[in-house]
Amino acid sequence: MKKNIAVCPGSFDPVTVGHTDVISRACSLFDEVVVLVSQNSGKCALFTSDERVKMLEQSLKDYDNVRVESFDGLLADYTKKIGAAVIVKGLRAMSDFEYEFQMALTNKRLNPATETVFLTTKAENMYLSSSMVKQVASMGGDISPFVPPVILKTVTERIKKSVETRKEEKK
Ligand code: PNS
């Protein structure tokens, strides 16, 4: 029987517990889940693509039907290449909706064989974003409720280092 492959794309800069919640639910809905670290042309990433892949792999090590990849091109080309049935995205608030709707329609136009499915986030993650995590950590706040425990040290130290580098550059 043909396996249903789902792709969970995102910037994951860094992965949050909001992301892992949506991915874990995708793992129980689909046979195979590919978490895809992709480039968002509207955002400037702090972590390299390799760092983001590694943090996702560490955070998702308990799921046996998931793998993490990175891809530089169009998401629609990737889903076509691997024959994915579905793109899974988490939807937080109405503020996400217009942007996500636009992306879903564009991806459908570019690759009609793949459907976009939205999973609503848990209420407690409604406000959570990678940008918020970076902002809290850069001001010395505790990000332990927001990122998977296994990557907490890496994320905290890396953000601290980038704040120090910026301060040095300003001198
Ligand atoms: O986590 P994000 O930043 O909301 O994820 C957005 C992402 C990376 C999934 C989106 O920007 C994307 O699909 N980028 C790959 C390039 C692409 O296909 N762009 C056209 C999307 S309609």
Side-chain angles (χ1 to χ4, degrees), residues 9-13 19 36-43 71-77 89 92 99-100 102-107 110 130:
S11 311
F12 305 111
D13 186 48
H19 294 128
L36 193 69
V37 174
S38 309
Q39 308 314 319
N40 182 333
S41 52
K43 291 180 186 170
F71 188 67
D72 265 345
L74 280 174
L75 177 58
D77 288 340
K89 295 251 24 200
R92 287 170 300 190
Y99 170 65
E100 292 295 344
Q102 196 181 4
M103 280 201 293
L105 290 179
T106 307
N107 286 324
L110 295 172
S130 300

Side-chain angles (χ1 to χ4, degrees), residues 70-71 75-84 111:
S70 66
F71 188 67
L75 177 58
D77 288 340
Y78 183 84
T79 53
K80 205 181 282 180
K81 188 177 85 174
I82 68 160
N111 172 17

Side-chain angles (χ1 to χ4, degrees), residues 47-65:
F47 295 88
T48 66
S49 187
D50 286 348
E51 284 174 322
R52 287 178 272 160
V53 167
K54 195 170 167 205
M55 287 190 285
L56 278 158
E57 281 172 345
Q58 291 170 331
S59 307
L60 299 168
K61 61 181 183 323
D62 294 337
Y63 299 91
D64 53 15
N65 61 337

Side-chain angles (χ1 to χ4, degrees), residues 10-26:
S11 311
F12 305 111
D13 186 48
V15 58
T16 68
V17 293
H19 294 128
T20 52
D21 168 54
V22 169
I23 295 164
S24 70
R25 282 148 63 203

